[in-house]
Amino acid sequence: MRLRQAPTTPPMAKINVTPIIDVALVLVIILLVTAPMMSLSDLPVDLPGAHARDTERPDFISLTMAADGRLALDEAPLGGLADVAPRLRDRLAARRDTNRLVVVRADASLPHAAVRRLLDAAREGGALNLGIATSQISGGRP
Amino acid sequence: MMKLRRGFEMDEGPLAEVNTTPLIDVSLVLVVILLLATPLAFESSFGVRQGDRLAKPGVVEDVQDRVELAITGENRVEVNGRSVAVEQLAGALQPLFASGASRDVAVSCADQISHGAFVRVLDIAKLNGAANIAVAEK
């Protein structure tokens, strides 16, 4: 009986950790990039276009109003306009930053009166810095 | 000497394949980051103040040197009481800002005007030099 010949290559002594580190770093980068998006509501909003850009702060609180009037504070839906001020006050208190920018993301088709009521409610909720969200248009002037 | 060289060539042959895995990995990461960051890069905002009231004619107020815009229609706006088309707003604002007057602007808007038309006026005002914009009530 002939025995099988042992392989000539030595057994692998080290585990190659490069792929796992690579994948872990990719996950960290994806989480870092998607973190700001998680705070935006997924309500469908067609933001008005604008060429100028003004307030640039990554850490803002968003107040979203869809074309059908549905509201959301960051990613959380709101029952109505009456909920805006108390919920926003709580959110600002939780972040311990009353100067935090509050951006109103309102659909372009909404009447101005509805947006103004939302701005009033935001101010009533303690928002000192208010912004109106726009969709950036690049190139050309209006 | 010749013998050594031949031995080396037989033991370790030339590298035949380039390892493209790291390159593909990094490329995919860049693609994912670009895909996720694109919507954020195209969203911006205007800073506004809220709740001012427009100066009434004949009433002396300390805000009288600011520019007052009143949006009266989807395509009409009053600049300090003078009605112009939105397309002519830039031309109406530039001499006002160039004269060294205040760059503060108070914007009021009729209730039924769309938010898109309102932002369009803010955009033109910003592009032509408005520094502070207040959303005013009529």
Side-chain angles (χ1 to χ4, degrees), chain B residues 29-69:
Chain B
V29 171
L30 289 175
V31 168
V32 169
I33 290 172
L34 284 174
L35 281 175
L36 294 175
T38 301
L40 282 180
F42 288 109
E43 195 167 318
S44 185
S45 62
F46 293 136
V48 291
R49 288 187 291 127
Q50 170 74 352
D52 293 11
R53 288 191 177 278
L54 289 184
K56 293 185 179 71
V59 178
V60 179
E61 295 185 11
D62 58 353
V63 293
Q64 61 185 345
D65 61 342
R66 71 182 180 184
V67 176
E68 295 189 348
L69 302 177

Side-chain angles (χ1 to χ4, degrees), chain B residues 2 21 43-44 77 80 90 94 109 111 114 118 120 126 135:
Chain B
M2 284 294 287
T21 309
E43 195 167 318
S44 185
V77 58
N80 288 340
Q94 280 161 2
C109 185
D111 286 350
S114 70
F118 172 70
R120 187 179 170 208
K126 274 278 176 193
V135 180

Side-chain angles (χ1 to χ4, degrees), chain A residues 105 125 132:
Chain A
R105 302 175 69 244
I132 293 176

Side-chain angles (χ1 to χ4, degrees), chain A residues 44-62:
Chain A
V45 176
D46 178 22
L47 292 176
H51 293 76
R53 54 193 312 159
D54 190 3
T55 48
E56 298 292 339
R57 285 201 230 166
D59 52 343
F60 58 83
I61 295 173
S62 68

